[in-house]
Amino acid sequence: MNFRTLDLNLLRVFDVVMFERNVTRAAARLAMTQPAVSNALRRLHQATGEDLFVSGPTGMTPTPQAEALWPTVRAALSGLSHALDPQAFDPRQDAQGFRLLMADAAAAVLMPALIRGIEQQALQVTLRVLPLGTRDPRPQLEQGQTDVALGFFPELAAALQAEGDSAVVCLDPLYHCGYVCVMRRGHELARHPVLTLDDYCAAGHVRVSFAGRQHGFVDAALQGLKRQRRVVLTVNEFATAARVVQQSDLLTVLPRSFVSASGLAPDLVMRPFPGALPRIEVGLLWHRRDQQQPAQRWLRQAIHEAAQSLFGGELAVA
């Protein structure tokens, strides 16, 4: 590719198509026609000599070459925008797209409030939620694969505290809640007001593990009590665990805030876990390079306001 002759407008088109994964939506955001966007992608393909997208019935699927190129393009466009016009962001006018990396429990709690604020103010921004598959999303932030990450990051929080000002990512608290044991309303154990440790360990269980780990917070707590549980199913989403429990005799452990937000609460019974589990401290994580970027500052503020509207001044839920 000859960079000196590259039309840099093509990179803006590439960035928006990567975000939307759809030519029609990308054209609307760019205020271009659909043929014009398609033509721009053809020109970019010719300039790079790489296949960047595969068109299919569900939209545009990026190739590995496109995925590798995107973080660099996004960082460059963001840097140029900030350098040329550091105050150039108005969510009422700018059709900016943001990517949020989070578990489904945090999404179920926060996204309705966040979207409610966007609709009430008639903002033009768009959001894309990506699944959180790790307890340490620093690589995704460093590579520009997401704008922010939301979740419970206990090991990372400790590491960032130790790194101090040298840390490349920042972490702000959003809200906290506790874990509860959950079962279907007709479960035999639901008849008892207290779930004993013996009954808990004798039951079958659904484990939630984003990264597929075989040992989580619950297993560590049981190990400390010299006990173990029989895990029948391991899934990577709290919603899947809740649905399975709703229709079986398995038990699972979920964030209390998620049970309330899931829409399944009438079918489920919550009981305190018969042991000690860490409190869930949900935080907002972002890269330090975005600290002063206006659009990123707006996004972080909007997320904080959504949490504030749900949990009040202390950002806490029982």
Side-chain angles (χ1 to χ4, degrees):
M1 178 178 67
N2 189 339
F3 183 79
R4 291 176 298 175
T5 61
L6 179 66
D7 183 351
L8 298 184
N9 289 320
L10 301 181
L11 298 181
R12 171 62 175 157
V13 173
F14 169 75
D15 179 53
V16 174
V17 173
M18 282 293 295
F19 182 87
E20 294 290 351
R21 309 295 167 101
N22 182 279
V23 171
T24 301
R25 291 197 299 269
R29 280 189 52 198
L30 291 162
M32 297 171 62
T33 65
Q34 184 173 336
V37 172
S38 298
N39 182 57
L41 294 178
R42 282 194 295 270
R43 291 172 57 199
L44 187 60
H45 167 70
Q46 293 170 355
T48 61
E50 299 280 0
D51 291 323
L52 299 177
F53 297 97
V54 177
S55 180
T58 59
M60 304 293 286
T61 301
T63 64
Q65 292 87 347
E67 294 284 8
L69 179 63
W70 194 25
T72 302
V73 170
R74 279 193 64 84
L77 291 174
S78 176
L80 282 172
S81 175
H82 184 51
L84 296 174
D85 193 351
Q87 303 304 317
F89 180 71
D90 180 355
R92 294 166 298 180
Q93 302 293 331
D94 298 335
Q96 176 88 20
F98 298 101
R99 292 154 302 154
L100 297 82
L101 190 70
M102 64 176 79
D104 63 327
V109 171
L110 286 172
M111 293 311 298
L114 190 56
I115 291 300
R116 187 160 55 246
I118 290 174
E119 290 184 333
Q120 289 173 350
Q121 300 174 63
L123 306 184
Q124 299 301 305
V125 300
T126 58
L127 307 177
R128 182 179 174 202
V129 175
L130 305 173
L132 179 67
T134 176
R135 289 292 183 186
D136 186 356
R138 280 179 293 185
Q140 289 92 330
L141 289 163
E142 292 171 1
Q143 296 167 20
Q145 296 174 1
T146 185
D147 295 296
V148 295
L150 296 89
F152 180 33
F153 309 116
E155 295 91 350
L156 178 55
L160 294 179
Q161 187 173 15
E163 293 174 11
D165 293 339
S166 64
V168 297
V169 297
C170 306
L171 179 64
D172 267 356
L174 282 177
Y175 65 91
H176 58 80
C177 68
Y179 286 111
V180 290
C181 185
V182 178
M183 66 194 77
R184 66 178 178 87
R185 189 159 294 279
H187 198 290
E188 180 181 356
L189 295 177
R191 296 182 297 173
H192 307 293
V194 176
L195 178 64
T196 68
L197 183 60
D198 286 341
D199 285 341
Y200 179 84
C201 292
H205 296 267
V206 181
R207 176 197 287 126
V208 180
S209 173
F210 306 142
R213 296 190 297 183
Q214 297 296 311
H215 195 80
F217 297 120
V218 174
D219 303 293
L222 292 174
Q223 187 176 37
L225 298 171
K226 302 187 185 305
R227 302 295 292 270
Q228 62 182 8
R229 59 178 175 165
R230 182 172 64 91
V231 177
V232 178
L233 173 67
T234 298
V235 298
N236 63 356
E237 291 183 333
F238 290 109
T240 303
R243 287 289 186 186
V244 170
V245 165
Q246 179 197 28
Q247 301 176 49
S248 73
D249 282 332
L250 301 182
L251 308 185
T252 194
V253 172
L254 301 174
R256 179 186 291 271
S257 58
F258 170 73
V259 177
S260 301
S262 68
L264 299 176
D267 299 330
L268 301 174
V269 170
M270 294 185 291
R271 292 287 184 265
F273 177 76
L277 289 177
R279 186 172 70 168
I280 304 170
E281 304 280 354
V282 177
L284 172 63
L285 194 68
W286 73 94
H287 200 280
R288 193 174 292 276
R289 65 170 174 261
D290 295 326
Q291 180 73 12
Q292 301 302 324
Q293 212 278 339
Q296 297 292 327
R297 292 176 62 184
W298 173 86
L299 175 63
R300 296 195 299 270
Q301 180 63 29
I303 293 172
H304 274 287
E305 289 176 357
Q308 181 83 11
S309 72
L310 293 169
F311 304 122
E314 295 183 358
L315 296 185
V317 60

